[in-house]
mmCIF file of all heavy atoms in Angstrom:
data_model
loop_
_atom_site.group_PDB
_atom_site.id
_atom_site.type_symbol
_atom_site.label_atom_id
_atom_site.label_comp_id
_atom_site.label_asym_id
_atom_site.label_seq_id
_atom_site.Cartn_x
_atom_site.Cartn_y
_atom_site.Cartn_z
ATOM 1 N N VAL A 262 -7.091 17.830 -15.698
ATOM 2 C CA VAL A 262 -7.916 18.902 -16.135
ATOM 3 C C VAL A 262 -8.612 19.511 -15.012
ATOM 4 O O VAL A 262 -8.537 20.721 -14.757
ATOM 5 C CB VAL A 262 -8.989 18.436 -17.153
ATOM 6 C CG1 VAL A 262 -9.857 19.539 -17.607
ATOM 7 C CG2 VAL A 262 -8.297 17.994 -18.479
ATOM 8 N N ASP A 263 -9.255 18.595 -14.299
ATOM 9 C CA ASP A 263 -10.211 19.295 -13.116
ATOM 10 C C ASP A 263 -9.465 19.583 -11.777
ATOM 11 O O ASP A 263 -9.923 20.410 -11.099
ATOM 12 C CB ASP A 263 -11.351 18.294 -12.916
ATOM 13 C CG ASP A 263 -12.215 18.051 -14.106
ATOM 14 O OD1 ASP A 263 -12.305 19.065 -14.941
ATOM 15 O OD2 ASP A 263 -12.885 16.964 -14.180
ATOM 16 N N VAL A 264 -8.417 18.805 -11.524
ATOM 17 C CA VAL A 264 -7.781 18.880 -10.156
ATOM 18 C C VAL A 264 -6.486 19.715 -10.349
ATOM 19 O O VAL A 264 -6.212 20.727 -9.664
ATOM 20 C CB VAL A 264 -7.484 17.471 -9.655
ATOM 21 C CG1 VAL A 264 -6.825 17.637 -8.239
ATOM 22 C CG2 VAL A 264 -8.885 16.784 -9.477
ATOM 23 N N GLN A 265 -5.654 19.230 -11.182
ATOM 24 C CA GLN A 265 -4.203 19.945 -11.301
ATOM 25 C C GLN A 265 -4.318 21.099 -12.045
ATOM 26 O O GLN A 265 -3.421 22.104 -11.914
ATOM 27 C CB GLN A 265 -3.149 18.915 -11.812
ATOM 28 C CG GLN A 265 -3.193 17.630 -11.076
ATOM 29 C CD GLN A 265 -2.500 17.680 -9.780
ATOM 30 O OE1 GLN A 265 -1.913 18.665 -9.513
ATOM 31 N NE2 GLN A 265 -2.617 16.671 -8.927
ATOM 32 N N GLY A 266 -5.156 21.246 -13.074
ATOM 33 C CA GLY A 266 -5.206 22.404 -13.895
ATOM 34 C C GLY A 266 -4.083 22.575 -14.897
ATOM 35 O O GLY A 266 -3.764 23.642 -15.447
ATOM 36 N N TRP A 267 -3.440 21.340 -15.198
ATOM 37 C CA TRP A 267 -2.271 21.359 -16.273
ATOM 38 C C TRP A 267 -2.825 21.578 -17.480
ATOM 39 O O TRP A 267 -2.250 22.165 -18.423
ATOM 40 C CB TRP A 267 -1.588 20.027 -16.177
ATOM 41 C CG TRP A 267 -0.845 19.874 -14.847
ATOM 42 C CD1 TRP A 267 -0.325 20.749 -13.963
ATOM 43 C CD2 TRP A 267 -0.564 18.464 -14.168
ATOM 44 N NE1 TRP A 267 0.194 20.130 -12.944
ATOM 45 C CE2 TRP A 267 0.200 18.825 -13.098
ATOM 46 C CE3 TRP A 267 -0.701 17.149 -14.647
ATOM 47 C CZ2 TRP A 267 0.529 17.675 -12.267
ATOM 48 C CZ3 TRP A 267 -0.317 16.192 -13.800
ATOM 49 C CH2 TRP A 267 0.274 16.540 -12.596
ATOM 50 N N LEU A 268 -4.094 21.117 -17.854
ATOM 51 C CA LEU A 268 -4.653 21.213 -19.173
ATOM 52 C C LEU A 268 -6.085 21.689 -19.075
ATOM 53 O O LEU A 268 -6.604 21.701 -18.061
ATOM 54 C CB LEU A 268 -4.671 19.732 -19.779
ATOM 55 C CG LEU A 268 -3.539 18.819 -19.824
ATOM 56 C CD1 LEU A 268 -3.846 17.438 -20.479
ATOM 57 C CD2 LEU A 268 -2.356 19.603 -20.586
ATOM 58 N N VAL A 269 -6.654 22.003 -20.302
ATOM 59 C CA VAL A 269 -8.065 22.234 -20.464
ATOM 60 C C VAL A 269 -8.597 21.015 -21.211
ATOM 61 O O VAL A 269 -7.941 20.260 -21.863
ATOM 62 C CB VAL A 269 -8.361 23.528 -21.153
ATOM 63 C CG1 VAL A 269 -7.817 24.796 -20.334
ATOM 64 C CG2 VAL A 269 -7.776 23.481 -22.503
ATOM 65 N N PRO A 270 -10.005 20.761 -21.143
ATOM 66 C CA PRO A 270 -10.571 19.630 -21.807
ATOM 67 C C PRO A 270 -10.137 19.494 -23.290
ATOM 68 O O PRO A 270 -9.798 18.389 -23.775
ATOM 69 C CB PRO A 270 -11.995 19.867 -21.602
ATOM 70 C CG PRO A 270 -12.185 20.675 -20.435
ATOM 71 C CD PRO A 270 -11.013 21.546 -20.333
ATOM 72 N N GLY A 271 -10.074 20.540 -24.025
ATOM 73 C CA GLY A 271 -9.611 20.505 -25.414
ATOM 74 C C GLY A 271 -8.189 20.027 -25.550
ATOM 75 O O GLY A 271 -7.918 19.256 -26.543
ATOM 76 N N ASP A 272 -7.343 20.307 -24.619
ATOM 77 C CA ASP A 272 -5.960 19.793 -24.667
ATOM 78 C C ASP A 272 -5.846 18.296 -24.492
ATOM 79 O O ASP A 272 -5.254 17.589 -25.373
ATOM 80 C CB ASP A 272 -5.174 20.349 -23.568
ATOM 81 C CG ASP A 272 -4.809 21.855 -23.692
ATOM 82 O OD1 ASP A 272 -4.777 22.373 -24.823
ATOM 83 O OD2 ASP A 272 -4.557 22.430 -22.690
ATOM 84 N N MET A 273 -6.706 17.720 -23.642
ATOM 85 C CA MET A 273 -6.739 16.317 -23.415
ATOM 86 C C MET A 273 -7.243 15.565 -24.702
ATOM 87 O O MET A 273 -6.708 14.518 -25.093
ATOM 88 C CB MET A 273 -7.570 15.922 -22.261
ATOM 89 C CG MET A 273 -7.438 14.531 -21.733
ATOM 90 S SD MET A 273 -5.714 14.243 -21.119
ATOM 91 C CE MET A 273 -5.778 12.419 -20.908
ATOM 92 N N LEU A 274 -8.221 16.216 -25.288
ATOM 93 C CA LEU A 274 -8.818 15.517 -26.503
ATOM 94 C C LEU A 274 -7.710 15.711 -27.692
ATOM 95 O O LEU A 274 -7.638 14.745 -28.453
ATOM 96 C CB LEU A 274 -10.066 16.246 -26.958
ATOM 97 C CG LEU A 274 -11.239 16.089 -25.947
ATOM 98 C CD1 LEU A 274 -12.359 17.060 -26.324
ATOM 99 C CD2 LEU A 274 -11.795 14.653 -26.085
ATOM 100 N N ALA A 275 -7.088 16.753 -27.791
ATOM 101 C CA ALA A 275 -6.096 16.839 -28.872
ATOM 102 C C ALA A 275 -5.003 15.876 -28.604
ATOM 103 O O ALA A 275 -4.514 15.219 -29.511
ATOM 104 C CB ALA A 275 -5.437 18.377 -28.785
ATOM 105 N N GLY A 276 -4.533 15.778 -27.364
ATOM 106 C CA GLY A 276 -3.472 14.719 -27.047
ATOM 107 C C GLY A 276 -3.845 13.354 -27.370
ATOM 108 O O GLY A 276 -3.019 12.550 -27.872
ATOM 109 N N LEU A 277 -5.083 12.914 -27.064
ATOM 110 C CA LEU A 277 -5.481 11.562 -27.410
ATOM 111 C C LEU A 277 -5.656 11.494 -29.004
ATOM 112 O O LEU A 277 -5.214 10.351 -29.580
ATOM 113 C CB LEU A 277 -6.898 11.305 -26.834
ATOM 114 C CG LEU A 277 -7.541 10.011 -27.114
ATOM 115 C CD1 LEU A 277 -6.472 8.947 -26.591
ATOM 116 C CD2 LEU A 277 -8.803 9.832 -26.299
ATOM 117 N N GLY A 278 -6.084 12.508 -29.718
ATOM 118 C CA GLY A 278 -5.991 12.397 -31.177
ATOM 119 C C GLY A 278 -4.650 12.301 -31.694
ATOM 120 O O GLY A 278 -4.458 11.376 -32.630
ATOM 121 N N LEU A 279 -3.696 12.916 -31.138
ATOM 122 C CA LEU A 279 -2.273 12.814 -31.644
ATOM 123 C C LEU A 279 -1.816 11.503 -31.283
ATOM 124 O O LEU A 279 -0.989 10.914 -32.095
ATOM 125 C CB LEU A 279 -1.506 13.923 -31.043
ATOM 126 C CG LEU A 279 -1.740 15.394 -31.444
ATOM 127 C CD1 LEU A 279 -0.921 16.379 -30.666
ATOM 128 C CD2 LEU A 279 -1.481 15.552 -32.980
ATOM 129 N N ALA A 280 -2.039 11.006 -30.084
ATOM 130 C CA ALA A 280 -1.588 9.794 -29.650
ATOM 131 C C ALA A 280 -2.065 8.574 -30.604
ATOM 132 O O ALA A 280 -1.325 7.572 -30.806
ATOM 133 C CB ALA A 280 -1.962 9.376 -28.256
ATOM 134 N N GLU A 281 -3.302 8.743 -31.156
ATOM 135 C CA GLU A 281 -3.739 7.669 -31.996
ATOM 136 C C GLU A 281 -3.052 7.659 -33.263
ATOM 137 O O GLU A 281 -3.108 6.689 -33.998
ATOM 138 C CB GLU A 281 -5.379 7.982 -32.264
ATOM 139 C CG GLU A 281 -6.173 7.726 -31.052
ATOM 140 C CD GLU A 281 -6.435 6.221 -30.825
ATOM 141 O OE1 GLU A 281 -5.849 5.395 -31.539
ATOM 142 O OE2 GLU A 281 -7.209 5.855 -29.980
ATOM 143 N N THR A 282 -2.343 8.769 -33.632
ATOM 144 C CA THR A 282 -1.667 8.755 -34.928
ATOM 145 C C THR A 282 -0.164 8.508 -34.722
ATOM 146 O O THR A 282 0.429 8.575 -35.917
ATOM 147 C CB THR A 282 -1.784 10.277 -35.525
ATOM 148 O OG1 THR A 282 -1.147 11.297 -34.758
ATOM 149 C CG2 THR A 282 -3.318 10.628 -35.643
ATOM 150 N N THR A 283 0.263 8.266 -33.660
ATOM 151 C CA THR A 283 1.688 8.008 -33.470
ATOM 152 C C THR A 283 1.845 6.508 -33.180
ATOM 153 O O THR A 283 1.001 5.888 -32.600
ATOM 154 C CB THR A 283 2.313 8.890 -32.357
ATOM 155 O OG1 THR A 283 1.634 8.491 -31.233
ATOM 156 C CG2 THR A 283 2.139 10.250 -32.568
ATOM 157 N N PRO A 284 3.012 5.958 -33.406
ATOM 158 C CA PRO A 284 3.398 4.620 -33.010
ATOM 159 C C PRO A 284 3.593 4.475 -31.521
ATOM 160 O O PRO A 284 3.689 5.483 -30.763
ATOM 161 C CB PRO A 284 4.620 4.287 -33.844
ATOM 162 C CG PRO A 284 5.419 5.641 -33.938
ATOM 163 C CD PRO A 284 4.169 6.544 -34.130
ATOM 164 N N GLY A 285 3.461 3.213 -30.955
ATOM 165 C CA GLY A 285 3.580 3.010 -29.577
ATOM 166 C C GLY A 285 2.272 3.073 -28.688
ATOM 167 O O GLY A 285 1.196 3.260 -29.559
ATOM 168 N N PRO A 286 2.296 2.740 -27.499
ATOM 169 C CA PRO A 286 1.077 2.728 -26.720
ATOM 170 C C PRO A 286 0.392 3.900 -26.730
ATOM 171 O O PRO A 286 0.923 5.010 -26.738
ATOM 172 C CB PRO A 286 1.525 2.185 -25.336
ATOM 173 C CG PRO A 286 3.036 2.753 -25.363
ATOM 174 C CD PRO A 286 3.515 2.565 -26.736
ATOM 175 N N LEU A 287 -1.002 3.777 -26.680
ATOM 176 C CA LEU A 287 -1.934 4.930 -26.519
ATOM 177 C C LEU A 287 -1.628 5.797 -25.282
ATOM 178 O O LEU A 287 -1.816 7.027 -25.245
ATOM 179 C CB LEU A 287 -3.373 4.530 -26.566
ATOM 180 C CG LEU A 287 -4.460 5.582 -26.603
ATOM 181 C CD1 LEU A 287 -4.311 6.477 -27.885
ATOM 182 C CD2 LEU A 287 -5.804 4.956 -26.516
ATOM 183 N N ILE A 288 -1.019 5.281 -24.260
ATOM 184 C CA ILE A 288 -0.852 5.793 -23.045
ATOM 185 C C ILE A 288 0.243 6.922 -23.190
ATOM 186 O O ILE A 288 0.570 7.698 -22.278
ATOM 187 C CB ILE A 288 -0.388 4.813 -21.904
ATOM 188 C CG1 ILE A 288 -0.592 5.390 -20.423
ATOM 189 C CG2 ILE A 288 0.960 4.359 -22.016
ATOM 190 C CD1 ILE A 288 -0.433 4.422 -19.401
ATOM 191 N N LEU A 289 1.055 6.972 -24.374
ATOM 192 C CA LEU A 289 1.921 8.080 -24.683
ATOM 193 C C LEU A 289 1.244 9.417 -24.618
ATOM 194 O O LEU A 289 1.887 10.400 -24.536
ATOM 195 C CB LEU A 289 2.641 7.874 -25.896
ATOM 196 C CG LEU A 289 3.763 6.833 -25.835
ATOM 197 C CD1 LEU A 289 4.394 6.542 -27.211
ATOM 198 C CD2 LEU A 289 4.972 7.215 -24.990
ATOM 199 N N VAL A 290 -0.057 9.465 -24.665
ATOM 200 C CA VAL A 290 -0.772 10.687 -24.404
ATOM 201 C C VAL A 290 -0.422 11.389 -23.071
ATOM 202 O O VAL A 290 -0.350 12.639 -22.993
ATOM 203 C CB VAL A 290 -2.347 10.556 -24.438
ATOM 204 C CG1 VAL A 290 -2.831 9.780 -23.262
ATOM 205 C CG2 VAL A 290 -3.044 11.840 -24.578
ATOM 206 N N LEU A 291 0.066 10.620 -22.070
ATOM 207 C CA LEU A 291 0.556 11.163 -20.780
ATOM 208 C C LEU A 291 1.820 11.993 -21.042
ATOM 209 O O LEU A 291 2.083 12.915 -20.189
ATOM 210 C CB LEU A 291 0.789 9.975 -19.855
ATOM 211 C CG LEU A 291 -0.440 9.123 -19.460
ATOM 212 C CD1 LEU A 291 0.006 8.287 -18.222
ATOM 213 C CD2 LEU A 291 -1.605 9.893 -19.243
ATOM 214 N N VAL A 292 2.634 11.589 -22.005
ATOM 215 C CA VAL A 292 3.813 12.491 -22.343
ATOM 216 C C VAL A 292 3.263 13.888 -22.795
ATOM 217 O O VAL A 292 3.875 14.966 -22.452
ATOM 218 C CB VAL A 292 4.673 11.738 -23.414
ATOM 219 C CG1 VAL A 292 5.751 12.767 -23.999
ATOM 220 C CG2 VAL A 292 5.219 10.495 -22.872
ATOM 221 N N PHE A 293 2.199 13.841 -23.654
ATOM 222 C CA PHE A 293 1.594 15.145 -24.124
ATOM 223 C C PHE A 293 1.230 15.950 -22.943
ATOM 224 O O PHE A 293 1.347 17.217 -22.835
ATOM 225 C CB PHE A 293 0.451 14.767 -24.999
ATOM 226 C CG PHE A 293 -0.325 16.039 -25.614
ATOM 227 C CD1 PHE A 293 0.227 16.636 -26.653
ATOM 228 C CD2 PHE A 293 -1.395 16.478 -24.886
ATOM 229 C CE1 PHE A 293 -0.481 17.822 -27.133
ATOM 230 C CE2 PHE A 293 -2.079 17.597 -25.434
ATOM 231 C CZ PHE A 293 -1.577 18.194 -26.596
ATOM 232 N N VAL A 294 0.473 15.298 -21.984
ATOM 233 C CA VAL A 294 0.064 15.959 -20.723
ATOM 234 C C VAL A 294 1.231 16.450 -19.897
ATOM 235 O O VAL A 294 1.239 17.639 -19.430
ATOM 236 C CB VAL A 294 -0.662 14.942 -19.742
ATOM 237 C CG1 VAL A 294 -0.994 15.526 -18.477
ATOM 238 C CG2 VAL A 294 -1.973 14.347 -20.412
ATOM 239 N N GLY A 295 2.288 15.785 -19.801
ATOM 240 C CA GLY A 295 3.424 16.169 -19.072
ATOM 241 C C GLY A 295 4.132 17.235 -19.719
ATOM 242 O O GLY A 295 4.668 18.310 -19.176
ATOM 243 N N PHE A 296 4.228 17.307 -21.076
ATOM 244 C CA PHE A 296 4.827 18.423 -21.852
ATOM 245 C C PHE A 296 4.027 19.693 -21.657
ATOM 246 O O PHE A 296 4.780 20.646 -21.225
ATOM 247 C CB PHE A 296 4.856 18.019 -23.309
ATOM 248 C CG PHE A 296 5.646 18.944 -24.234
ATOM 249 C CD1 PHE A 296 6.933 18.663 -24.581
ATOM 250 C CD2 PHE A 296 5.145 20.034 -24.620
ATOM 251 C CE1 PHE A 296 7.677 19.533 -25.356
ATOM 252 C CE2 PHE A 296 5.805 21.072 -25.423
ATOM 253 C CZ PHE A 296 7.108 20.773 -25.705
ATOM 254 N N LEU A 297 2.800 19.661 -21.760
ATOM 255 C CA LEU A 297 2.064 20.941 -21.667
ATOM 256 C C LEU A 297 2.097 21.383 -20.207
ATOM 257 O O LEU A 297 2.331 22.609 -19.927
ATOM 258 C CB LEU A 297 0.618 20.727 -22.069
ATOM 259 C CG LEU A 297 0.307 20.519 -23.589
ATOM 260 C CD1 LEU A 297 -1.237 20.435 -23.924
ATOM 261 C CD2 LEU A 297 1.060 21.475 -24.445
ATOM 262 N N GLY A 298 1.992 20.515 -19.273
ATOM 263 C CA GLY A 298 1.919 20.894 -17.811
ATOM 264 C C GLY A 298 3.404 21.532 -17.424
ATOM 265 O O GLY A 298 3.576 22.582 -16.840
ATOM 266 N N GLY A 299 4.431 20.944 -17.971
ATOM 267 C CA GLY A 299 5.779 21.483 -17.718
ATOM 268 C C GLY A 299 6.081 22.765 -18.363
ATOM 269 O O GLY A 299 6.619 23.648 -17.904
ATOM 270 N N ALA A 300 5.612 22.887 -19.683
ATOM 271 C CA ALA A 300 5.771 24.072 -20.571
ATOM 272 C C ALA A 300 5.086 25.263 -19.835
ATOM 273 O O ALA A 300 5.526 26.419 -19.823
ATOM 274 C CB ALA A 300 5.253 23.881 -21.959
ATOM 275 N N ARG A 301 3.858 25.099 -19.237
ATOM 276 C CA ARG A 301 3.007 26.122 -18.735
ATOM 277 C C ARG A 301 3.327 26.525 -17.234
ATOM 278 O O ARG A 301 3.135 27.688 -16.839
ATOM 279 C CB ARG A 301 1.599 25.725 -18.906
ATOM 280 C CG ARG A 301 1.051 25.652 -20.326
ATOM 281 C CD ARG A 301 -0.212 25.066 -20.595
ATOM 282 N NE ARG A 301 -0.684 25.082 -21.961
ATOM 283 C CZ ARG A 301 -1.714 24.531 -22.493
ATOM 284 N NH1 ARG A 301 -2.422 23.691 -21.614
ATOM 285 N NH2 ARG A 301 -2.104 24.513 -23.641
ATOM 286 N N GLN A 302 3.772 25.486 -16.481
ATOM 287 C CA GLN A 302 3.866 25.773 -14.961
ATOM 288 C C GLN A 302 5.171 25.601 -14.452
ATOM 289 O O GLN A 302 5.343 25.802 -13.203
ATOM 290 C CB GLN A 302 2.837 24.740 -14.293
ATOM 291 C CG GLN A 302 1.386 25.027 -14.683
ATOM 292 C CD GLN A 302 0.403 24.256 -13.823
ATOM 293 O OE1 GLN A 302 0.908 23.795 -12.795
ATOM 294 N NE2 GLN A 302 -0.782 24.143 -14.230
ATOM 295 N N SER A 303 6.260 25.320 -15.204
ATOM 296 C CA SER A 303 7.584 25.152 -14.542
ATOM 297 C C SER A 303 8.341 26.339 -14.440
ATOM 298 O O SER A 303 9.300 26.483 -13.627
ATOM 299 C CB SER A 303 8.415 24.151 -15.448
ATOM 300 O OG SER A 303 8.662 24.888 -16.822
ATOM 301 N N GLY A 304 7.957 27.435 -15.021
ATOM 302 C CA GLY A 304 8.754 28.726 -14.976
ATOM 303 C C GLY A 304 9.922 28.766 -15.821
ATOM 304 O O GLY A 304 10.638 29.776 -15.861
ATOM 305 N N LEU A 305 10.187 27.709 -16.558
ATOM 306 C CA LEU A 305 11.242 27.661 -17.426
ATOM 307 C C LEU A 305 10.890 28.087 -18.836
ATOM 308 O O LEU A 305 9.778 28.313 -18.981
ATOM 309 C CB LEU A 305 11.874 26.161 -17.428
ATOM 310 C CG LEU A 305 12.297 25.679 -16.044
ATOM 311 C CD1 LEU A 305 12.690 24.184 -16.160
ATOM 312 C CD2 LEU A 305 13.557 26.484 -15.501
ATOM 313 N N ASP A 306 11.891 28.034 -19.753
ATOM 314 C CA ASP A 306 11.497 28.120 -21.180
ATOM 315 C C ASP A 306 10.522 27.090 -21.563
ATOM 316 O O ASP A 306 10.664 25.922 -21.074
ATOM 317 C CB ASP A 306 12.811 27.954 -22.018
ATOM 318 C CG ASP A 306 12.515 28.044 -23.535
ATOM 319 O OD1 ASP A 306 12.352 29.082 -24.032
ATOM 320 O OD2 ASP A 306 12.436 26.863 -24.113
ATOM 321 N N PRO A 307 9.378 27.531 -22.263
ATOM 322 C CA PRO A 307 8.348 26.586 -22.497
ATOM 323 C C PRO A 307 8.851 25.169 -23.069
ATOM 324 O O PRO A 307 8.460 24.168 -22.712
ATOM 325 C CB PRO A 307 7.497 27.287 -23.377
ATOM 326 C CG PRO A 307 7.616 28.737 -23.095
ATOM 327 C CD PRO A 307 9.090 28.789 -22.743
ATOM 328 N N LEU A 308 9.728 25.160 -24.106
ATOM 329 C CA LEU A 308 10.166 24.084 -24.662
ATOM 330 C C LEU A 308 10.954 23.184 -23.694
ATOM 331 O O LEU A 308 10.892 21.983 -23.695
ATOM 332 C CB LEU A 308 10.962 24.270 -25.977
ATOM 333 C CG LEU A 308 10.223 24.925 -27.203
ATOM 334 C CD1 LEU A 308 11.067 25.148 -28.402
ATOM 335 C CD2 LEU A 308 9.063 23.899 -27.464
ATOM 336 N N LEU A 309 11.887 23.753 -22.906
ATOM 337 C CA LEU A 309 12.593 23.068 -21.936
ATOM 338 C C LEU A 309 11.832 22.558 -20.943
ATOM 339 O O LEU A 309 11.899 21.308 -20.515
ATOM 340 C CB LEU A 309 13.725 24.041 -21.296
ATOM 341 C CG LEU A 309 14.527 23.451 -20.152
ATOM 342 C CD1 LEU A 309 15.338 22.228 -20.584
ATOM 343 C CD2 LEU A 309 15.476 24.443 -19.567
ATOM 344 N N GLY A 310 10.812 23.346 -20.280
ATOM 345 C CA GLY A 310 9.907 22.843 -19.301
ATOM 346 C C GLY A 310 9.010 21.678 -19.906
ATOM 347 O O GLY A 310 8.840 20.640 -19.157
ATOM 348 N N GLY A 311 8.642 21.812 -21.146
ATOM 349 C CA GLY A 311 7.859 20.745 -21.784
ATOM 350 C C GLY A 311 8.723 19.428 -21.885
ATOM 351 O O GLY A 311 8.168 18.381 -21.720
ATOM 352 N N LEU A 312 9.998 19.576 -22.295
ATOM 353 C CA LEU A 312 10.770 18.419 -22.455
ATOM 354 C C LEU A 312 10.971 17.792 -21.213
ATOM 355 O O LEU A 312 10.861 16.446 -21.004
ATOM 356 C CB LEU A 312 12.158 18.903 -23.101
ATOM 357 C CG LEU A 312 13.230 17.744 -23.207
ATOM 358 C CD1 LEU A 312 12.716 16.529 -24.111
ATOM 359 C CD2 LEU A 312 14.429 18.325 -23.725
ATOM 360 N N LEU A 313 11.130 18.488 -20.064
ATOM 361 C CA LEU A 313 11.327 17.916 -18.733
ATOM 362 C C LEU A 313 10.046 17.172 -18.345
ATOM 363 O O LEU A 313 10.077 16.244 -17.779
ATOM 364 C CB LEU A 313 11.812 18.936 -17.772
ATOM 365 C CG LEU A 313 13.233 19.537 -17.888
ATOM 366 C CD1 LEU A 313 13.598 20.649 -17.039
ATOM 367 C CD2 LEU A 313 14.297 18.421 -17.874
ATOM 368 N N GLY A 314 8.877 17.995 -18.543
ATOM 369 C CA GLY A 314 7.685 17.327 -18.143
ATOM 370 C C GLY A 314 7.326 16.099 -18.817
ATOM 371 O O GLY A 314 6.791 15.229 -18.242
#
Side-chain angles (χ1 to χ4, degrees):
V262 175
D263 299 332
V264 178
Q265 304 290 345
W267 296 331
L268 310 179
V269 298
D272 289 336
M273 192 66 187
L274 293 168
L277 182 56
L279 293 175
E281 290 284 3
T282 67
T283 60
L287 184 62
I288 200 175
L289 281 173
V290 68
L291 302 191
V292 172
F293 181 85
V294 173
F296 188 98
L297 291 188
R301 292 169 176 170
Q302 297 191 13
S303 67
L305 304 172
D306 174 80
L308 291 180
L309 175 60
L312 177 62
L313 293 175

